[in-house]
Amino acid sequence: MKKLILFTLIALTAISFSFADSTYVVQKGDTLYSISRKNQITVAELRAANNLSDNDVLKAGQKIVIPEADIGTAAALSSTKQTAPKAGGTTSTYVVQKGDTLYGIARKNGMKVPELLAINNFDNNVVIKVGQKLKISSQPVSASPSTVSQSPSAKKDNPVYEADNNSAPLTTIRLDDKAPDTRTYGSTVSSDANTKWPVKNPRITSVKGKVSGVQLSASQNEKVLCIHEGTVMYVGVYRGFGQVLFVQTKTGLIYAYTGLGSVNVKKGDYAVSGSELGTAGVDPISGKPGITFMVFQNGQPVDPRTAPRN
């Protein structure tokens, strides 16, 4: 019995470390982009976790934090801006200390980076300074699905800068190392017959765990279509989700298409509704074709069944 308990504790510890933050020692020739690709996270997450600006140059031997992968945070940080929260909730002031990062401050105060950005009306390129006063909240600051505005904006989205931005579309990517799959399946759910989905007539299964969204069944190599126009903010392999892309609407919603077999667009493209984004991949859980589809605002999930279409 003691051996069984000890083995269980070791296993749980190993699992927790696989999802925890880690430290990376910069090698000669490394860039934020290359490090993000190696660790299957976004450049924006690396910048937020290390308080780095676009102009910061990495040096060999420098230690940087590799944050725990969080696709909701990744989606929010890939957007052009955070939506300012509505008034309400308890806020207080935090004075930035030496060594602080947005990521660290958010975690210390029970917040997420997108919430911290939103409550302070910061964009994603902000670099904090010692002595700076920030607003913090003891309650999550996010928009619920019922508060999402569906009115269009006249201003077209501008793609956010990402170091070493690739200019060519990504095609099928084969990973040498499989990242842990954080998803678990719930029950099959229904939606209105007229609801538009990225694939035709999918079986819709709720996805639980560290994310909230739906798994959509598909035909082999089926085309994945854009269901709401917007700017492609990120294309790449994301830890635990395979090949993904984020499309941001003019109202700030991020539509995440994940588990793709191939991608036909690149970062900065403007995708119109009904256009082909790529093809469906193979779901590692079921072994059948499909994609995981999620919608976010400020890093918080919006029900994919009721999220706006156009």
Side-chain angles (χ1 to χ4, degrees):
M1 178 60 72
K2 289 182 178 179
K3 289 183 178 180
L4 178 60
I5 293 173
L6 179 60
F7 177 79
T8 302
L9 289 173
I10 292 173
L12 289 174
T13 301
I15 292 172
S16 65
F17 275 124
S18 68
F19 295 109
D21 300 343
S22 59
T23 301
Y24 176 81
V25 179
V26 176
Q27 307 297 310
K28 185 178 180 179
D30 274 342
T31 65
L32 284 177
Y33 180 73
S34 67
I35 294 170
S36 73
R37 291 296 292 261
K38 288 177 186 177
N39 292 278
Q40 298 176 21
I41 57 175
T42 66
V43 169
E45 289 173 285
L46 282 177
R47 289 180 58 251
N50 294 279
N51 200 35
L52 298 172
S53 72
D54 289 339
N55 298 322
D56 284 328
V57 177
L58 299 179
K59 298 179 180 179
Q62 179 180 351
K63 293 182 179 180
I64 62 172
V65 173
I66 306 298
E68 178 183 3
D70 183 326
I71 197 165
T73 295
L77 290 178
S78 295
S79 67
T80 52
K81 63 180 180 179
Q82 307 300 316
T83 303
K86 290 188 174 183
T90 303
T91 61
S92 56
T93 300
Y94 178 87
V95 179
V96 177
Q97 308 296 311
K98 185 177 180 180
D100 272 344
T101 64
L102 290 170
Y103 185 74
I105 294 170
R107 293 193 70 169
K108 282 192 291 187
N109 291 280
M111 302 174 66
K112 288 193 172 184
V113 173
E115 296 166 350
L116 185 60
L117 291 172
I119 200 173
N120 288 280
N121 294 317
F122 288 153
D123 65 24
N124 299 324
N125 296 314
V126 66
V127 175
I128 56 176
K129 299 179 180 179
V130 174
Q132 184 176 356
K133 293 181 179 179
L134 306 182
K135 291 180 182 178
I136 57 172
S137 174
S138 57
Q139 299 175 354
V141 180
S142 59
S144 66
S146 61
T147 63
V148 174
S149 169
Q150 298 184 28
S151 60
S153 168
K155 184 178 180 182
K156 185 174 180 179
D157 303 87
N158 293 314
V160 67
Y161 171 84
E162 185 163 294
D164 285 11
N165 183 24
N166 55 316
S167 57
L170 293 178
T171 53
T172 303
I173 295 176
R174 300 182 182 279
L175 302 179
D176 294 329
D177 299 316
K178 291 185 178 180
D181 196 320
T182 60
R183 302 169 304 149
T184 57
Y185 286 166
S187 57
T188 300
V189 296
S190 60
S191 68
D192 187 280
N194 296 321
T195 301
K196 182 168 61 174
W197 291 102
V199 290
K200 294 180 179 179
N201 305 316
R203 183 179 65 257
I204 308 166
T205 306
S206 62
V207 176
K208 301 179 179 179
K210 293 172 71 66
V211 297
S212 177
V214 291
Q215 178 69 18
L216 305 175
S217 64
S219 302
Q220 187 172 7
N221 297 321
E222 181 176 351
K223 294 179 181 179
V224 175
L225 305 181
C226 179
I227 66 168
H228 195 299
E229 66 178 357
T231 302
V232 178
M233 305 308 295
Y234 175 79
V235 175
V237 174
Y238 196 80
R239 196 184 308 169
F241 290 89
Q243 196 164 201
V244 311
L245 66 86
F246 301 147
V247 175
Q248 181 184 12
T249 71
K250 292 176 180 178
T251 56
L253 285 167
I254 297 285
Y255 289 68
Y257 304 78
T258 82
L260 300 172
S262 64
V263 173
N264 294 344
V265 295
K266 63 181 183 297
K267 185 177 183 292
D269 284 351
Y270 195 82
V272 299
S273 181
S275 63
E276 184 181 343
L277 298 174
T279 60
V282 176
D283 174 28
I285 294 179
S286 67
K288 299 178 180 179
I291 66 169
T292 300
F293 177 62
M294 295 164 281
V295 184
F296 300 98
Q297 185 163 56
N298 285 352
Q300 300 300 314
V302 174
D303 188 343
R305 293 175 296 174
T306 59
R309 270 78 165 161
N310 66 7

